[in-house]
Amino acid sequence: MAIDDPVRGTETPEAPAAAETRSLWSALRPLVLRIHFYAGVLIAPLLLLAATSGLLYALSFQAEKIIYSHELTTDAGERILPLDAQVSAAREAHPQGTVTAVWPSPEEGATTRVLMTSPEVEEGKSLAVFVDPYTAQVRGELPSYGSSGALPLRTWLDELHRDLHLGDLGRYYSELAASWLWVVALGGLLLWIGRKRAAKRALVLPERSASGRRRTLSWHGSVGLWAVTGLVLLSATGLTWSKYAGENIGAVQDQLGGATPVVTATLDGAAGGGGDHDGHGGGGHEGGHQGPDVGIDKAVEAAAAKGVDGRISVILPADGSGYVVKETDTLFPVHLDSVAIDPADGRVMDELRFADYPLLAKLTRFGIDAHMGVLFGLVNQLALAVLMLALILLIVWGYRMWWLRRPTKDRALGVGRPMPRGAWRKVPPAALLPLVAATAVVGWFVPMLGISLLVFLAADMALGLVARSRAKS
């Protein structure tokens, strides 16, 4: 549609494009608003669970330092004992366990963590024995989980966030929440930016003079604008752990050559074996490496000669595999180099530098570490806590707006009405067909999103038929 210039009497060249843009958005807006409304109302309870548990998880890092301070810290001494002596002390305290890895004391006053497979802990977890590096005294033991060494408090909150302690069934909740979070966030962004306002300041800051539902909407929109980038990133990184979408993401990553490499620790003449052989024993003990062994201290010295030092994890050799010494400093800039050591002579068999990771593998690692709150340490954890608090407030404000839109004249109790049905009919075919195609592709790639969307559409159609039948009668 052309717009006449009131001065020159001719059409301005920018006017057709501007009018077309406004016309397309005016056609799309009811559809976006309806999807945002339904997703917000129906998925928000799952997002609220994820946000609340995520908030507690972000705070658990500092809480663990206080709760488990006796195990994690000790009085600094004059000299640190050899790691072999520390590991021997852990074995003597728990002779039924099999040592799989050792985390040497990373700083002055910190204990050494000796990880074991043991009948004292459930399958999938390790028994972490905390040893004073100055006296080889065992200061305690706790179940440990994952590569980050989460202790009981953080492990419990992590499982609550991941599956509500319901196992595989509970993982559907987290995948459904992560699948819809980016849809709700980006839909809200479009609606907020496309809203008419008298001052640009109202786009990024709440309106002080507003009241009632308008005031709630102002807070909902402006806080959502600040949080949208973080919410989308959380959704994307969270999907990498999901069951169905995670498999598709992993397949695409492998196809693009972005798989995370591992150092090769297989000994000459041994079949199989790789860099990540957690769960195997130490040299000379049942289930572990049989044969000559230079010992863990020599292995750490050989790794340090290659620049792999500082905060490290030492995976003990298994039958057919050597030592693997890995840097575990995830604070940016990260130090994640690793080397494989031959236990027979301390020779470096293979080395892997983080700088040599494929770009996609690096980005994946950064994203996952940021999601877990370990990339920037305390700053990362506080940012996650603020983001989760913002999501909780957005959900509360969303439900409040829904409540304020209720038809109070018709009945005392009720809820707000959604946008009218048939919003998709207003979308031009030239935009509708690509939109449907893109939705189908995304729904296939993120199955929980696609399946739930089909369920929403089926339920909405059924309600529409019921309403139409009642109207006729």
Side-chain angles (χ1 to χ4, degrees):
M1 178 184 296
I3 298 179
D4 292 336
D5 188 302
V7 177
R8 301 170 62 182
T10 59
E11 297 179 357
T12 60
E14 297 85 357
E20 184 178 351
T21 301
R22 286 196 298 270
S23 176
L24 179 60
W25 171 241
S26 63
L28 284 173
R29 186 179 182 279
L31 181 61
V32 175
L33 184 58
R34 187 168 175 82
I35 294 174
H36 187 73
F37 171 84
Y38 268 121
V41 170
L42 300 176
I43 302 298
L46 302 182
L47 292 175
L48 185 60
L49 285 173
T52 304
S53 58
L55 172 62
L56 295 175
Y57 176 81
L59 300 176
S60 68
F61 287 86
Q62 303 306 315
E64 278 192 340
K65 294 180 180 180
I66 299 173
I67 296 173
Y68 306 120
S69 61
H70 177 74
E71 289 83 2
L72 293 172
T73 60
T74 185
D75 295 330
E78 294 183 359
R79 68 180 283 270
I80 294 179
L81 297 175
L83 285 173
D84 187 61
Q86 300 178 49
V87 173
S88 296
R91 283 197 177 106
E92 290 176 6
H94 297 272
Q96 76 282 11
T98 302
V99 179
T100 60
V102 179
W103 295 8
S105 172
E107 57 192 8
E108 184 177 336
T111 55
T112 293
R113 191 178 306 195
V114 180
L115 301 179
M116 297 180 166
T117 57
S118 172
E120 299 179 51
V121 293
E122 61 185 283
E123 186 178 358
K125 294 182 174 65
S126 298
L127 179 67
V129 182
F130 299 87
V131 182
D132 188 326
Y134 308 102
T135 65
Q137 177 188 1
V138 174
R139 293 185 60 82
E141 51 280 315
L142 293 167
S144 176
Y145 177 75
S147 60
S148 64
L151 298 178
L153 173 63
R154 184 150 53 100
T155 299
W156 192 89
L157 291 173
D158 175 53
E159 293 174 349
L160 176 67
H161 180 69
R162 185 174 65 247
D163 57 22
L164 300 177
H165 295 280
L166 298 176
D168 290 339
L169 179 63
R171 291 188 66 182
Y172 295 138
Y173 120 83
S174 58
E175 183 165 359
L176 192 60
S179 299
W180 276 97
L181 178 56
W182 66 274
V183 177
V184 176
L186 292 180
L189 177 65
L190 290 175
L191 292 170
W192 185 244
I193 292 178
R195 185 179 179 84
K196 294 181 180 179
R197 50 182 56 84
K200 292 182 179 180
R201 179 183 180 279
L203 176 66
V204 295
L205 295 175
E207 297 182 47
R208 298 178 181 178
S209 59
S211 60
R213 182 178 178 275
R214 183 180 179 86
R215 179 183 179 85
T216 304
L217 175 61
S218 177
W219 278 97
H220 182 85
S222 56
V223 171
L225 180 68
W226 287 101
V228 64
T229 302
L231 295 178
V232 172
L233 290 176
L234 279 180
S235 175
T237 52
L239 285 174
T240 61
W241 281 297
S242 63
K243 183 175 182 180
Y244 300 109
E247 293 178 356
N248 292 334
I249 293 172
V252 171
Q253 187 174 350
D254 292 343
Q255 289 292 328
L256 296 176
T260 301
V262 294
V263 67
T264 301
T266 306
L267 299 176
D268 292 338
D276 296 323
H277 48 273
D278 293 335
H280 298 286
H285 290 259
E286 183 180 356
H289 170 70
Q290 304 298 326
D293 190 347
V294 297
I296 186 172
D297 291 285
K298 291 293 185 182
V300 170
E301 289 178 10
K306 290 291 184 179
V308 179
D309 53 11
R311 189 179 293 270
I312 60 173
S313 167
V314 185
I315 302 174
L316 272 62
D319 189 18
S321 299
Y323 286 96
V324 174
V325 183
K326 303 188 295 185
E327 292 179 332
T328 59
D329 185 5
T330 55
L331 293 180
F332 194 85
V334 301
H335 297 90
L336 299 173
D337 298 342
S338 57
V339 293
I341 309 295
D342 190 330
D345 54 14
R347 174 178 55 89
V348 175
M349 300 185 295
D350 188 28
E351 56 184 287
L352 176 64
R353 305 295 174 181
F354 184 72
D356 297 329
Y357 278 33
L359 177 60
L360 192 56
K362 289 181 181 179
L363 295 177
T364 301
R365 181 62 192 252
F366 291 149
I368 290 176
D369 285 351
H371 190 112
M372 294 177 62
V374 298
L375 182 59
F376 300 107
L378 179 60
V379 174
N380 194 168
Q381 296 148 25
L382 292 177
L384 284 177
V386 170
L387 191 59
M388 291 300 94
L389 182 60
L391 180 55
I392 292 172
L393 291 174
L394 289 172
I395 294 170
V396 172
W397 287 327
Y399 275 118
R400 174 170 170 76
M401 287 188 294
W402 186 35
W403 173 254
L404 292 175
R405 290 183 62 239
R406 71 191 189 279
T408 54
K409 294 182 179 180
D410 298 336
R411 50 193 173 187
L413 296 176
V415 293
R417 297 189 181 97
M419 289 293 296
R421 293 182 178 87
W424 61 273
R425 298 191 186 96
K426 299 179 181 179
V427 182
L432 182 61
L433 294 178
L435 182 63
V436 171
T439 303
V441 172
V442 173
W444 170 82
F445 190 78
V446 187
M448 294 298 286
L449 174 63
I451 294 172
S452 57
L453 181 59
L454 290 176
V455 172
F456 290 168
L457 291 176
D460 193 44
M461 290 177 63
L463 292 174
L465 292 175
V466 171
R468 188 179 302 175
S469 177
R470 288 179 177 176
K472 290 181 178 180
S473 62

